[in-house]
Amino acid sequence: MQIGIACDHGGFELKEELKTYLRSIGHEPVDLGTFSKDSVDYPDYAIQVAEKVSKGDLEKGILICGTGIGMSIVANKIRGVRAALANDLYSARFCREHVDANILVLGGRIVGKELAKEIVKIWIETPFAGGRHQRRLEKIEALEEKNFKF
Ligand code: RB5
């Protein structure tokens, strides 16, 4: 699977590590920046991945900033994006099973590289459970529809 990946300076090192890891488990990272440790603004990079996921150009994406918080806030403003900040394994599993999160967000200054790899693996491999959770996602979509009419 092609997986979009982007970061700010707080997530640069982890992004590079995860690109190698994604390739090692048979996926193709699509790197949308940033490309150095120089200070940048996380909204400029969150939007790169979020828009592609929203349009269906990419099925899934990974965003990394220092805490993961800024990236999450930006990505969730884009229609159809369900970005989950998952800095632990339990969240990684349930953001897929219950929320069908199409973007995983990580805090590059919070999670270690090995934990981040496990989080990514679980997030990729866990399917959406559907059922009652589908009804809840439909309520989120209805809210997005309403907001677009303001
Ligand atoms: C950048 O210093 C930092 O604010 C950013 O990476 C992120 O943690 C924001 O949520």
Side-chain angles (χ1 to χ4, degrees), residues 24-43:
S24 79
I25 57 170
H27 298 286
E28 184 190 337
V30 178
D31 190 349
L32 298 167
T34 184
F35 299 104
S36 78
K37 288 183 190 173
D38 294 346
S39 182
V40 293
D41 299 334
Y42 58 80

Side-chain angles (χ1 to χ4, degrees), residues 19-100:
K19 278 162 53 185
T20 305
Y21 177 65
L22 285 169
R23 289 189 194 103
S24 79
I25 57 170
H27 298 286
E28 184 190 337
V30 178
D31 190 349
L32 298 167
T34 184
F35 299 104
S36 78
K37 288 183 190 173
D38 294 346
S39 182
V40 293
D41 299 334
Y42 58 80
D44 298 339
Y45 295 90
I47 199 77
Q48 300 294 328
V49 168
E51 281 190 347
K52 284 193 163 45
V53 170
S54 176
K55 287 178 186 161
D57 296 341
L58 292 168
E59 190 184 327
K60 284 189 167 70
I62 297 174
L63 292 169
I64 315 159
C65 62
T67 58
I69 295 168
M71 288 288 199
S72 306
I73 290 171
V74 177
N76 279 311
K77 292 193 183 299
I78 308 303
R79 195 176 202 180
V81 165
R82 291 178 300 280
L85 175 54
N87 285 326
D88 63 90
L89 300 175
Y90 187 89
S91 300
R93 174 180 164 192
F94 285 98
C95 78
R96 289 290 313 133
E97 245 181 75
H98 288 188
V99 188
D100 198 16

